[in-house]
Amino acid sequence: MGGGGRSAPRQPSPEEIARTNARIQREEAERKLKEDSMKADTFLADNRITDDFRSGIFGQSDQAAQSQIGLLNEQLQNSFKDIRQRQAGRGQASSAGRFGLSGEATALGDSSRQGILDQAQSRANTRINDQQRFLDNAAASIRAGTSVETARSRYEADLNSANTAFEKLLNTAQSGDQRN
């Protein structure tokens, strides 16, 4: 019967245990990174900026600009009428002065109209760029390990603030003196 000397199985060394644990941790970190990246990609896809959104923002901004231009035209007509009345009161109703003034008023009006349209374009682009920045920030947070719920909550808070600010800009744009 020889119970010949079978020895107990060899136990891993502390270095082998440390290497195995490090490999397991690395694999888990890589798995988590891939999972977070997939969640971020899904978040971006679910919240992407659509052409309808872009059109809506540009439409709102353009509507405010058209309202501004209407006010500008009214203000210019009133100013031009006031100047003509003052000149007539002073006996300066000569055609040369009137045509020179008319040309100058037209040029200033055109410049102001272009400024309003440029502001409308810039206002819309800023709002759309803000939305993209909020999306990118939320996706980066998710990739860094923040929960989707937390990132979504921040994203929605940012959107609410941006929407409020945009509405305020639209309302402000339509009031006051529109001349540059």
Side-chain angles (χ1 to χ4, degrees):
M1 302 235 150
R6 264 190 128 174
S7 63
R10 174 177 127 9
Q11 295 297 316
S13 71
E15 293 83 22
E16 290 172 321
I17 292 172
R19 278 195 302 270
T20 300
N21 286 341
R23 180 182 50 79
I24 291 170
Q25 287 176 350
R26 187 177 57 253
E27 289 171 355
E28 177 59 22
E30 288 171 0
R31 184 200 61 76
K32 175 82 167 104
L33 186 62
K34 283 181 184 178
E35 183 181 304
D36 289 343
S37 183
M38 287 183 353
K39 288 178 184 177
D41 291 344
T42 299
F43 181 85
L44 287 171
D46 290 347
N47 295 286
R48 69 182 175 80
I49 297 175
T50 64
D51 288 339
D52 287 343
F53 172 78
R54 282 185 179 88
S55 294
I57 293 296
F58 278 108
Q60 287 177 298
S61 193
D62 186 54
Q63 186 177 17
Q66 293 308 316
S67 179
Q68 284 180 272
I69 288 172
L71 286 172
L72 171 68
N73 290 340
E74 200 174 297
Q75 291 169 347
L76 288 174
Q77 286 174 352
N78 290 339
S79 294
F80 190 57
K81 188 163 101 177
D82 183 47
I83 290 169
R84 281 194 315 245
Q85 288 173 347
R86 287 181 188 192
Q87 282 183 329
R90 294 182 192 144
Q92 300 173 342
S94 73
S95 62
R98 187 171 56 237
F99 290 122
L101 184 61
S102 176
E104 188 175 328
T106 299
L108 291 172
D110 289 346
S111 173
S112 291
R113 281 183 206 86
Q114 188 58 52
I116 289 169
L117 293 173
D118 291 346
Q119 288 171 352
Q121 182 81 20
S122 176
R123 182 173 47 236
N125 282 328
T126 297
R127 176 61 187 87
I128 292 166
N129 290 339
D130 285 347
Q131 182 113 355
Q132 186 63 55
R133 184 172 40 86
F134 301 151
L135 274 171
D136 293 343
N137 288 344
S141 292
I142 294 168
R143 284 188 178 98
T146 300
S147 72
V148 173
E149 295 77 22
T150 300
R152 179 177 306 285
S153 178
R154 280 190 215 135
Y155 172 70
E156 289 173 357
D158 288 340
L159 284 183
N160 287 335
S161 294
N163 287 336
T164 300
F166 185 67
E167 290 297 324
K168 185 176 180 180
L169 283 174
L170 292 176
N171 290 331
T172 301
Q174 298 179 51
S175 62
D177 193 339
Q178 302 301 323
R179 296 170 286 194
N180 284 341

